[in-house]
């Protein structure tokens, strides 16, 4: 059997192990080790397992992951999600659909401190859903908008997916972060437009809330200001080259800690909760990344990425058409696979193709994140939808998936806009001072 | 028999919880060191006396990365925190589900048993060669042995999961 055939069989076996429910990180590590043993030598494969585990877990570049996850957890434990929502409420609250708009704006704000879609959805869902219920919002709109807007968590920096994409493709994490800012604002705007259109078509979906006074609006701004300070410190520091990504994450976590203490919101109990939460998410992410690295080594000796990029490069199709097919494949894959597993598994194989086609790696990173955002809200494996289901237990899953659909359309529009105007993603990174 | 299993389960639970706190200390140390390093670098650059970067700060933070993940791996398993695709298996009859879950936990057990064995051997070889980090000359092998050690509780947790699934499959 040729190495390429063994590689393809390996991918097939991996998909089966995923589908029967083996944890995705474990599956990639085991299948990768077995494949390497088969293609090179049993001794080499087994020692690769231990070496890859140690070298990956002791890589300084990966310490950025726990730091940014810690920042998001502390921001939540310090009550920042609640204050951001309150700020959004004072601005949009009295409008029809205003609470949904406030939720989207607050998700965008929380995304500026948190790098994960499900953490953003969970943090805002706990705050926003009871409020929308109180004002008789339609369940489908209320849950759909939090699930979708929660996905902004990985587009607006910091972002776990940008970090992992950056490490796997050796692109600057700082530039990737900055590249996500404008598309993030664009997408949040598109989500708000979706709410406006939905409410125009059916005014019963979302009644207006109570008007707020100027004084209340001013008080609400405090929640925005602390977010802007933290965002400015972390992303500004990266942009200006003050911090390495790990240092930026640590500065963010430390800043969130200080804000929580200064506001007397961070208790010992909520701090311990943030530590435990960070450990669980970090461990889950690191095991997936390590598994993907081992599997990537197997793919490399099977020569699959090379063969695939040569084949695609020779296709008589314009690059944009091939990119369209890649996006479609990610969209379908995202329906069935966990986003992180999909990215870590496919980026080593697809990335060489993207380079051969002449696309900007930073732009492609943004596209990958947008497609991943669709993956976290599409059935059957839409993680954000399950997170929201966990918060709103009385709402059936089908209702949430139905509510997500119009926002999915907004995501598709965003991908289309970025394909036509790649500058939206590449303009800011071009200004970075390094 | 079931009493012994419950005792073992309680032991694995509290053992992995303790190790998780070690990971927590690692996380806080990582944060503290990085912040101290930032202040050291920036203030030294600004010419403030007595401030300087932490020697080998980056190396120590990198090694703490090993502690944060490996010491948390077993407790994350106890909490079922490792992401799985469950929607296919959930649609199968309960007995088939139990057979499949027994199989996946067995495969996972094999992975961590292999990792324990190979990390132990790798650690011994690094110890024999005296491999140390570049600036602070921190030996690598204790961290590799830590990986091997942390495979013990996760192997126990996985073996328990496997046993429970087999029992469910047999009893129906």
């Amino acid at each position: 059997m040729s190495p390429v055939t063994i590689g393809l069989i390996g991918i097939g076996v991996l998909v089966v192990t995923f589908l029967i429910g083996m944890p995705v990180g474990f599956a990639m590590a085991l299948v990768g080790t077995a494949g390497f043993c088969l293609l090179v030598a049993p001794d080499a494969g087994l020692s690769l397992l231990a070496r890859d585990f140690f070298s990956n877990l002791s890589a300084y570049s990966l310490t950025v992951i726990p730091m940014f996850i810690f920042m998001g957890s502390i921001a939540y434990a310090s009550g920042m999600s609640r204050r951001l929502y309150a700020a959004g409420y004072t601005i949009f609250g009295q409008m029809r659909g205003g609470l949904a708009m406030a939720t989207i704006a607050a998700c965008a704000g929380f995304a500026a401190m948190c790098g994960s879609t499900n953490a953003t959805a969970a943090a805002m869902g706990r705050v926003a859903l009871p409020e929308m219920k109180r004002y008789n919002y339609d369940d489908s709109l209320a849950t759909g908008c939090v699930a979708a807007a929660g996905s902004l968590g990985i587009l607006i920096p910091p972002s776990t997916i940008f970090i992992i994409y950056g490490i796997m493709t050796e692109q600057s994490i700082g530039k990737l972060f900055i590249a996500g800012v404008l598309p993030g604002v664009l997408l949040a705007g598109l989500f708000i437009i979706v709410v406006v259109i939905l409410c125009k078509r059916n005014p019963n979906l979302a009644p207006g809330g109570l008007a707020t006074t100027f004084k209340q609006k001013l008080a609400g701004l405090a929640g925005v200001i602390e977010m802007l300070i933290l965002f400015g410190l972390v992303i500004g520091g990266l942009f200006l080259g003050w911090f390495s990504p790990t240092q930026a994450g640590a500065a963010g976590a430390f800043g969130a800690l200080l804000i929580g203490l200064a506001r007397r919101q961070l208790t010992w109990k909520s701090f311990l909760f943030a530590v435990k939460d960070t450990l669980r998410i970090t461990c889950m992410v690191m095991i997936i990344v390590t598994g993907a690295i081992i599997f990537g080594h197997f793919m490399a000796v099977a020569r699959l990425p090379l063969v695939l990029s040569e084949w695609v490069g020779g296709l008589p199709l314009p690059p944009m058409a091939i990119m369209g097919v890649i996006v479609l494949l990610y969209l379908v894959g995202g329906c069935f696979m966990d986003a992180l597993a999909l990215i870590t598994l496919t980026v080593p194989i697809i990335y060489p193709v993207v380079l051969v086609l002449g696309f900007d790696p930073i732009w492609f990173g943004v596209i990958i994140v947008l497609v991943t955002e669709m993956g976290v809200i599409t059935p059957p494996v839409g993680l954000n939808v399950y997170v929201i289901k966990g918060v709103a237990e009385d709402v059936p899953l089908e209702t949430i998936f139905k509510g997500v659909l119009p926002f999915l359309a907004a995501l598709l529009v965003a991908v289309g806009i970025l394909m036509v105007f790649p500058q939206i993603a590449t303009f800011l990174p071009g200004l970075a001072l390094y | 028999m079931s009493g012994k299993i419950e005792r073992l389960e309680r032991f694995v639970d509290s053992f992995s919880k303790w190790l998780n706190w070690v990971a927590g200390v690692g996380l806080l140390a990582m944060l503290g060191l990085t912040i101290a390093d930032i202040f050291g670098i920036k203030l030294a650059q600004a010419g403030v006396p007595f401030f300087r970067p932490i020697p080998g700060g980056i190396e120590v933070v990198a090694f703490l990365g090993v502690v944060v993940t490996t010491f948390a791996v077993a407790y994350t398993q106890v909490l079922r925190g490792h992401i799985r695709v469950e929607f296919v298996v959930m649609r199968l009859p309960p007995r088939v589900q139990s057979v499949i879950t027994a199989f996946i936990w067995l495969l996972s057990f094999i992975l961590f048993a292999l990792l324990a064995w190979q990390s132990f051997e790798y650690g011994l070889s690094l110890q024999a060669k005296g491999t140390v980090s570049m600036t602070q000359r921190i030996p690598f092998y204790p961290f590799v042995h830590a990986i091997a050690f942390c495979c013990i509780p996760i192997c126990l947790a996985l073996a328990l999961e496997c046993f429970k699934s087999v029992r469910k499959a047999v009893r129906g």
Side-chain angles (χ1 to χ4, degrees):
Chain A
M1 250 192 294
S2 74
V4 174
T5 317
I6 294 178
L8 288 173
I9 294 173
I11 293 178
V13 173
L14 185 69
V15 171
V16 172
T17 52
F18 279 174
L19 291 180
I20 61 172
M22 187 164 174
V24 291
F26 300 1
M28 287 194 277
L30 189 64
V31 177
T33 306
F36 205 92
C37 284
L38 211 62
L39 276 177
V40 184
D43 280 1
L46 288 173
S47 88
L48 176 87
L49 176 68
R51 281 164 204 270
D52 270 357
F53 249 89
F54 175 67
S55 65
N56 201 40
L57 298 183
S58 63
Y60 180 71
S61 57
L62 282 172
T63 54
V64 57
I65 293 174
M67 289 297 98
F68 273 111
I69 293 175
F70 203 21
M71 174 182 169
S73 294
I74 296 180
Y76 173 72
S78 305
M80 288 189 183
S81 50
R82 215 176 42 248
R83 290 195 290 279
L84 274 171
Y85 183 73
Y89 181 89
T90 59
I91 299 165
F92 298 106
Q94 67 274 36
M95 293 160 75
R96 201 172 280 286
L99 292 184
M101 295 176 202
T103 305
I104 292 164
C107 277
F110 196 70
M113 299 179 291
C114 172
S116 125
T117 65
N118 42 351
T120 307
M124 292 317 304
R126 282 177 214 149
V127 183
L129 285 174
E131 284 296 306
M132 287 196 268
K133 201 163 190 67
R134 199 151 65 91
Y135 282 95
N136 283 326
Y137 266 53
D138 177 69
D139 279 344
S140 164
L141 171 68
T143 51
C145 91
V146 196
S151 76
L152 287 168
I154 51 168
L155 183 58
I156 296 177
S159 156
T160 339
I161 300 289
F162 276 143
I163 293 172
I164 287 163
Y165 176 82
I167 289 167
M168 298 194 101
T169 59
E170 294 181 343
Q171 291 298 317
S172 148
I173 292 172
K175 285 189 177 170
L176 282 164
F177 274 9
I178 294 151
V181 174
L182 292 181
V185 174
L186 169 78
L187 186 59
L190 287 173
F191 283 160
I192 289 180
I193 291 173
V194 167
V195 174
V196 172
I197 294 173
L198 288 176
C199 292
K200 271 241 153 58
R201 284 178 52 189
N202 183 0
N204 295 329
L205 282 180
L210 297 173
T212 45
T213 62
F214 181 71
K215 208 172 156 192
Q216 281 171 313
K217 285 189 187 2
L218 216 56
L221 274 183
V224 179
I225 289 169
E226 64 189 25
M227 178 274 286
L228 286 178
I229 291 174
L230 207 53
F231 183 77
L233 172 75
V234 172
I235 307 302
L238 265 176
F239 194 71
L240 298 171
W242 289 354
F243 298 140
S244 72
T246 302
Q247 289 174 335
F254 190 62
L257 197 75
L258 289 183
I259 291 173
L261 289 174
R263 284 188 160 271
R264 297 175 183 276
Q265 294 279 329
L266 190 68
T267 60
W268 179 241
K269 205 175 150 196
S270 58
F271 176 70
L272 288 184
F273 170 81
V275 171
K276 279 199 273 189
D277 203 42
T278 305
L279 290 175
R280 182 180 54 80
I281 302 171
T282 301
C283 181
M284 180 268 283
V285 172
M286 295 295 280
I287 293 292
I288 291 180
V289 173
T290 308
I293 296 228
I294 296 173
F295 193 78
H297 282 148
F298 163 44
M299 287 290 105
V301 291
R303 299 182 57 247
L304 254 179
L306 192 73
V307 172
L308 183 74
S309 58
E310 275 173 7
W311 178 70
V312 175
L315 283 178
L317 285 171
M320 229 7 151
I322 298 173
M323 182 52 71
V325 175
I326 293 176
V327 168
L328 195 71
L329 285 177
Y330 269 98
L331 193 56
V332 175
C335 289
F336 297 98
M337 255 175 86
D338 169 63
L340 195 58
L342 182 68
I343 300 268
T344 50
L345 179 65
T346 53
V347 162
I349 304 170
I350 298 284
Y351 185 66
V353 175
V354 173
L355 290 185
V356 166
L357 295 175
F359 288 106
D360 183 303
I362 300 277
W363 170 83
F364 183 63
V366 175
I367 292 287
I368 284 263
V369 164
L370 278 171
V371 183
T372 306
E373 287 189 67
M374 296 186 208
V376 298
I377 53 173
T378 42
V381 193
L383 200 59
N384 267 19
V385 172
Y386 293 102
V387 168
I388 294 304
K389 170 76 185 158
V391 183
E393 284 170 0
D394 55 324
V395 183
L397 262 184
E398 293 78 17
T399 310
I400 311 179
F401 276 123
K402 204 180 109 217
V404 151
L405 279 179
F407 297 99
L408 195 61
L411 269 161
L412 279 170
V413 170
V415 173
I417 293 176
L418 269 153
M419 285 212 171
V420 181
F421 304 106
Q423 300 84 347
I424 300 174
T426 53
F427 169 67
L428 283 182
L431 300 178
L433 296 179
Y434 55 92
Chain B
M1 181 73 176
S2 65
K4 275 185 189 157
I5 292 295
E6 271 167 25
R7 269 217 302 279
L8 183 62
E9 209 167 2
R10 274 203 300 276
F11 167 72
V12 171
D13 206 75
S14 54
F15 186 24
S16 48
K17 221 180 238 171
W18 272 104
L19 295 184
N20 201 51
W21 284 122
V22 177
V25 172
L27 177 73
L28 296 179
M30 194 188 250
L31 176 65
L33 256 177
T34 310
I35 294 295
D37 205 25
I38 294 175
F39 277 109
I41 294 167
K42 302 294 171 201
L43 293 176
Q45 277 171 357
V48 181
F50 307 118
F51 279 95
R52 59 191 188 111
I54 304 227
I58 287 180
E59 278 174 3
V60 180
V61 167
F63 282 129
L64 285 170
V66 180
V67 176
V68 168
T69 303
T70 41
F71 281 81
V73 78
Y75 194 58
T76 306
Q77 173 61 28
V78 170
L79 296 176
R80 298 286 181 101
H82 294 290
I83 293 255
R84 299 167 55 198
V85 178
E86 285 171 292
F87 74 98
V88 180
V89 179
M90 264 161 49
R91 282 172 168 68
L92 300 171
R95 210 165 193 158
V96 182
Q97 274 188 34
S98 305
V99 173
I100 291 178
T101 45
F103 180 61
I104 60 157
W105 295 133
L106 175 69
L107 286 180
S108 307
F109 173 84
I110 293 172
L111 171 73
F112 282 96
L114 285 175
L115 180 63
W117 167 41
Q118 287 299 315
S119 296
F120 182 64
E121 300 245 315
Y122 182 41
L124 287 180
S125 79
L126 288 174
Q127 195 173 358
K129 277 189 244 160
T131 313
V132 291
S133 68
M134 298 237 283
T135 54
Q136 289 303 299
R137 312 198 62 75
I138 303 167
F140 282 18
Y141 75 88
F143 297 95
V144 182
H145 283 320
I147 296 178
F149 172 72
C150 291
C151 287
I152 298 170
I154 188 168
C155 276
L156 285 174
L158 291 165
L160 269 172
E161 292 279 8
C162 182
F163 175 80
K164 282 194 284 184
S165 298
V166 169
R167 193 167 59 179
K168 234 188 207 165
V170 172
R171 287 182 186 167

